[in-house]
Each structure stands twice: as C-alpha cells, then as structure tokens.
Amino acid sequence: MMKIIEKDRGSVEFVEPMNPMFQQMFGRNTSVLELRFLPFLMYSLTDQYMEREKIRSGERELLNEYQSKGFIVKDGISIGCTKEFWNFISSVVYDSYVQELSKAEDLDER
C-alpha cells in the first residue's frame, strides 16, 4: 500500500535542508527566492523559451550565475541547459515541492 508523505513547499523553513545540495553544486547556500524560481526555470527549459518580463532582479542574477558556470545558455528568449543541471534542478524541485509516495512497510520502519 502506498501513502503520500507530505512536506513543506518552498518555505523559509525548508531552505536549510537543501543547502548541502547547493554547496556541492555551487559552493554556496540557497535562498527562498532560488527555491521558488527553479520550478519556473524548469518550465522555461521544457518550453525552450523564457519570458523576460517575468524575471525579477534577483532571478536575473541567478541566471547569470548559472550561465557563468556553464550550466545554462540564454540566447535572447531561447534557453537550454546541461543534463547535469537539469538533473540537479529536478532533484531540488522534487525535494522541495513534490509529495513523495512511500510503501506502508517503509513507514513501519520509521
């Protein structure tokens, strides 16, 4: 039997547990702004199009950092990324937003 494991979503309280992933990838901690930006970035990457008018100042800085590290390429409104970066943001979005499923026997072990 499967059960949904609820979790906090993109809240200030959830930033700290995500920091080890960001330390490994970027050598820095994350922020609420970044955690809230990544689902939009995923959407833009799957659409291969980024709506500039929806990007705030802090998010532009994040995009510039990702680009300077070679994880994304922006060309006008077109955007693409490396598979490594896609896997990273997918993991972050999953861990931050998606409710997990667990088998009943997994719950018994806790």
Side-chain angles (χ1 to χ4, degrees), residues 14-28:
F14 200 70
V15 171
E16 193 171 312
M18 302 305 294
N19 283 335
M21 291 174 71
F22 282 82
Q23 282 291 336
Q24 185 175 0
M25 189 72 160
F26 299 109
R28 62 162 176 79

